[in-house]
Amino acid sequence: MTDRYCVFGHPVGHSKSPAIHADFADQVGDDIEYVATEAPLDDFAGAWRRFVAEGGRGANVTVPFKEQAFRLCDTLSERARRAGAVNTLILGDDGETRGDTTDGIGLVRDLERHGVALAGARILVLGAGGAVRGVLEPLLAQGPASLRVANRTAAKAEALAVDFRDLGAIVGGGFEAVEGPYDLVINGTSASLAGDLPPLPDDLFTPRATAHDMMYGAEPTVFLHWAAERGAQTVDGLGMLVEQAAESFFQWRGRRPDTAPVLERLRQAL
């Protein structure tokens, strides 16, 4: 019998998740069906219940439903609880809905694939929204020397740092308080979508620093262009997308696919 999975979003037609998970299933020889499902804005919980009633075993969740997914879960992983959002729903054999967030571990694994050492690193994370909140626990688990969250509204970054300070050396503040250099700078703002750049000092990077943008496209983002001009290694968010999907697949199927060929195919298609 074919196991059924989906990605919920609104809109969701642009999602690469069906192609990614089809590749994963082919790799490991699993018989699954994975589709994109546009859930109604006012009834995400109902969409999940209907999917389960029709044989669904798990789902990915994208905007704007990650917080609603969090609230409907019977149990949560620690990283999902910390994030306050869920991007992976798992139907247990007992019928309970378990929630996880795989964005942060996807980011960490992609950085590791690029040879970025996180233990002992000085890390700067730009932004204080849900995307940033979802990656802080896995980043701090790697033991960086320090992690600063910078945001246009300083109070949001400061509050975020308070929420995670029991996990490691983390502080928050406004962009004006940022003083380099950093070994890793992660752009989790939405500025790239508008072609904008957060206000940053020119001496932001150490000589062997990496700049990561959670966004991706056929061409480097404005932030990555800016970082490359200042000598940083640049990494976009496509690898993070594939790696977080692989972690979701592992949660559902108990098998970890090889992400490299899937990432290469996606890159060529951009």
Side-chain angles (χ1 to χ4, degrees):
M1 180 178 177
T2 302
D3 289 334
R4 300 185 64 214
Y5 302 90
C6 77
V7 56
F8 287 112
H10 192 110
V12 76
H14 64 285
S15 175
K16 291 179 168 51
S17 292
I20 292 171
H21 285 279
D23 277 356
F24 289 164
D26 286 345
Q27 266 190 37
V28 302
D30 280 4
D31 180 18
I32 74 167
E33 175 187 87
Y34 187 112
V35 298
T37 300
E38 186 166 298
L41 292 174
D42 59 352
D43 191 24
F44 174 75
W48 167 247
R49 287 194 295 269
R50 288 189 292 274
F51 183 66
V52 169
E54 295 164 359
R57 299 295 304 169
N60 287 127
V61 183
T62 187
V63 292
F65 297 122
K66 291 185 180 183
E67 289 77 19
Q68 293 181 54
F70 176 89
R71 291 193 293 270
L72 71 77
C73 290
D74 299 303
T75 60
L76 295 161
S77 69
E78 174 60 18
R79 59 195 181 199
R81 188 186 67 78
R82 286 276 186 178
V86 158
N87 81 337
T88 303
L89 295 171
I90 307 112
L91 185 68
D93 292 336
D94 55 3
E96 288 196 341
T97 298
R98 302 198 303 272
D100 194 9
T101 180
T102 64
D103 290 330
I105 196 65
L107 171 63
V108 167
R109 289 191 178 136
D110 189 45
L111 290 169
E112 290 173 341
R113 188 172 60 83
H114 284 87
V116 179
L118 298 175
R122 295 189 72 223
I123 300 175
L124 172 65
V125 182
L126 307 174
V132 168
R133 189 177 188 91
V135 304
L136 291 180
E137 188 270 348
L139 284 172
L140 289 166
Q142 303 305 305
S146 64
L147 191 155
R148 172 174 284 274
V149 180
N151 190 57
R152 196 172 302 276
T153 304
K156 290 184 178 180
E158 292 163 358
L160 202 53
V162 169
D163 288 346
F164 286 85
R165 65 185 176 186
D166 60 311
L167 298 182
I170 180 172
V171 295
F175 289 132
E176 70 283 353
V178 172
E179 294 181 354
Y182 290 92
D183 303 303
L184 171 63
V185 180
I186 298 167
N187 184 20
T189 73
S190 58
S192 290
L193 292 175
D196 294 331
L197 183 72
L200 300 168
D202 283 329
D203 61 349
L204 194 60
F205 303 105
T206 60
R208 292 176 295 279
T210 297
H212 182 282
D213 199 319
M214 293 186 187
M215 304 298 175
Y216 65 88
E219 299 296 330
T221 65
V222 170
F223 170 71
L224 293 183
H225 268 302
W226 181 87
E229 289 173 350
R230 285 152 183 80
Q233 173 190 211
T234 59
V235 180
D236 71 8
L238 189 62
M240 176 182 172
L241 172 70
V242 175
E243 293 293 345
Q244 65 81 24
E247 179 64 18
S248 294
F249 190 89
F250 176 75
Q251 295 283 342
W252 298 325
R253 311 298 298 173
R255 301 207 264 182
R256 197 175 298 284
D258 181 4
T259 55
V262 179
L263 176 57
E264 180 61 26
R265 280 193 288 274
L266 287 178
R267 182 74 66 192
Q268 291 176 357
L270 288 178

